[in-house]
Amino acid sequence: MERPAWAPRSIDISVPSVSRMYDYYLGGSHNFEVDREAARKAMEFLPGLPKIMQANRAFLRRAVRFATGQGIDQFLDIGSGIPTHGNVHEIAQEARPGARVVYVDHDPVAVAHSRSVLAGNADADVVAADLRKPQEILTSPEVARLIDLDRPVALLLVAVLHFLEDADEPHRAVAGLRAALAPGSLLILTHASFEGIPLPEERAEGAVDVYRDIRNPLVMRPREEIARFFDGFELIEPGLVHLPDWRPESAPEDEDDFAFSGYAGVGRTA
């Protein structure tokens, strides 16, 4: 297999990557056949996966515009993945020129491609780090340079927490990040769930098994457990809802049924 210029020498391109599978679902080009094969296998059980990812990105764009409308001009996007159309810095800096954005991911391809995309953008940067180690993120040189934690920040945890098992203590990681945020900060979050998927749970479980087989377990939490991530935040209307139902820009009833898989919400620190 020939290694493209954008793929760091350090990565094993024979092993599927969650970030590259996500890129494939969205129609991107930064993925390999091994990623496409795993994604297609997951889609045999859950054919609406691309629709779910599209709804997830659409929510992200709406939430970032909401944040800029609230006067926020600092964004910390953890688990940001491979850049695609409608990135956080593009939306935020269009709405608020000079807005500062730090992306965080532990996937080397996501980090390398983010650096390429951000070249020449003094108000955006990327950190190679893991959500499970929030202090490493908060004390990174990139965050120190661009993010003033004494002012409100929009913290994005979009489609990332469901890749942390309970043993990874995801609620503790979110609490550690929350403790560093100034009053008026926002948590922008999405999470996968069996609730809302227009298929029997036992069939959707087949897609979960694909992620388990590639050693990236996908944890489908119920709504009440996802809501716990907002402890210490005040949920903003309409609360924790299915992806298309969060401040929609078009009629939710026109959305594909699969778009209602999983939950989205935005909370504010007191």
Side-chain angles (χ1 to χ4, degrees), residues 73-74 143-144 146-153 179-185 269:
D73 60 1
Q74 303 186 103
V143 168
L146 288 175
I147 305 295
D148 179 359
L149 292 171
D150 291 328
R151 296 195 302 110
V153 176
L181 299 178
S185 294
T269 56

Side-chain angles (χ1 to χ4, degrees), residues 53 59 62 66 78-79 104 108 121 125 135 141 176 178 184 206 246 267:
M53 306 312 171
F59 161 77
R62 296 196 304 275
F66 171 81
I78 302 178
V104 180
N121 189 330
D125 210 338
Q135 287 307 309
R178 183 192 67 233
W246 198 89

Side-chain angles (χ1 to χ4, degrees), residues 45-46 194 197 200-212 218 220:
F45 301 99
L46 197 51
F194 285 123
I197 294 178
E201 182 174 324
E202 56 270 22
R203 181 177 174 189
E205 183 70 46
V208 174
D209 289 340
V210 171
Y211 282 89
R212 187 178 298 115
L218 179 60
M220 308 287 273

